[in-house]
Amino acid sequence: MTGQQGVRRGEGKLRSDTRRNRRRLLEAVGELAREAPDELTMQAVASRAEIGPATAYRYYSTVDDVLAAYVLSVVEELRDFSAASTAEGQPLFDAVVDKWVDLLAEHGPALVQLRSRQGYLKRLHDANDIIVAMRDAWSEPVRGLLADLGLPDEMLEYALFLNNIMYDPREIQDLLQETELSRREVVIRLTEAYRGALRGWARAG
């Protein structure tokens, strides 16, 4: 019995170490993306996390894998916010947009580091973890917006496709950093443009 308890304690410590090391690596990649994005390597991430490179490679094969895990954690935060909200229709959509822009203010430099050669729909149909989480975060807000606009629910997937384009982290950061538009002005203009894009898509057939 004592031996079994010892094994369980050992397994618990291993899981605790794994969680701690993964958390450190994710924190490190986020910090480096903000401070020195051109120096993002597995060695740099491991060093910032104060974890040996060999240990870091046990958790993630490449720096893109660390970034993907980081991005997923951010998108999951948006998904959880969306799911917990009691708002509906346009107010829900506006609340999720605001939350997304808040997340980008903190995590944007890491989010823009990760790029894919595949488009949104291809990754959605292939059940990419990040894109599925994005779909789960945005589906109800976008569905409510469609209803408020009198547009059919059947165009939800195309609406999510347009949402992915309109609220791209890189483009939002570009607007905030390279123009004189305030955060509120950026949000209002993007949302009005998105509403117009949805109407235009529906009108086209």
Side-chain angles (χ1 to χ4, degrees):
M1 189 70 170
T2 303
Q4 289 178 339
Q5 290 175 343
V7 169
R8 290 194 193 100
R9 282 196 294 269
E11 289 174 348
K13 184 178 187 301
L14 180 61
R15 288 194 294 271
S16 176
D17 288 347
T18 295
R19 287 194 298 269
R20 184 184 66 248
N21 288 339
R22 286 184 183 275
R23 185 181 68 249
R24 284 181 176 176
L25 289 166
L26 295 185
E27 290 171 351
V29 82
E31 292 170 2
L32 284 171
R34 284 190 295 272
E35 299 168 14
D38 294 334
E39 299 173 17
L40 267 177
T41 64
M42 276 296 284
Q43 289 76 12
V45 172
S47 176
R48 175 62 66 96
E50 298 182 340
I51 293 173
T55 301
Y57 277 112
R58 285 208 297 270
Y59 301 114
Y60 301 104
S61 299
T62 67
V63 71
D64 279 352
D65 288 343
V66 190
L67 281 166
Y70 186 94
V71 172
L72 180 60
S73 71
V74 175
V75 175
E76 286 175 339
E77 185 174 345
L78 181 71
R79 179 200 63 196
D80 294 346
F81 173 87
S82 179
S85 177
T86 58
E88 297 179 350
Q90 178 82 48
L92 173 59
F93 184 84
D94 290 343
V96 174
V97 170
D98 278 336
K99 178 65 174 179
W100 183 232
V101 176
D102 285 344
L103 288 171
L104 294 184
E106 182 178 357
H107 306 288
L111 270 60
V112 302
Q113 297 296 320
L114 194 65
R115 297 291 282 181
S116 173
R117 290 187 294 273
Q118 295 179 328
Y120 171 85
L121 293 176
K122 170 64 173 172
R123 287 178 288 158
L124 177 63
H125 296 158
D126 287 347
N128 173 276
D129 288 343
I130 294 171
I131 298 303
V132 167
M134 285 289 280
R135 178 203 63 197
D136 293 345
W138 286 104
S139 285
E140 284 310 308
V142 170
R143 183 176 278 117
L145 182 60
L146 289 173
D148 281 1
L149 295 174
L151 299 177
D153 189 69
E154 289 74 17
M155 67 176 285
L156 177 62
E157 186 169 282
Y158 293 120
L160 291 170
F161 168 80
L162 293 172
N163 176 276
N164 186 69
I165 295 171
M166 198 71 70
Y167 295 96
D168 181 274
R170 182 175 282 99
E171 309 311 334
I172 291 177
Q173 284 201 305
D174 197 37
L175 283 171
L176 291 171
Q177 294 170 3
E178 300 299 326
T179 73
E180 296 181 356
L181 295 173
S182 68
R183 178 193 184 281
R184 176 50 46 192
E185 288 170 330
V186 166
V187 168
I188 289 172
R189 281 165 169 75
L190 284 177
T191 299
E192 283 303 308
Y194 182 54
R195 288 161 61 95
L198 292 174
R199 291 191 182 99
W201 191 282
R203 280 198 305 271

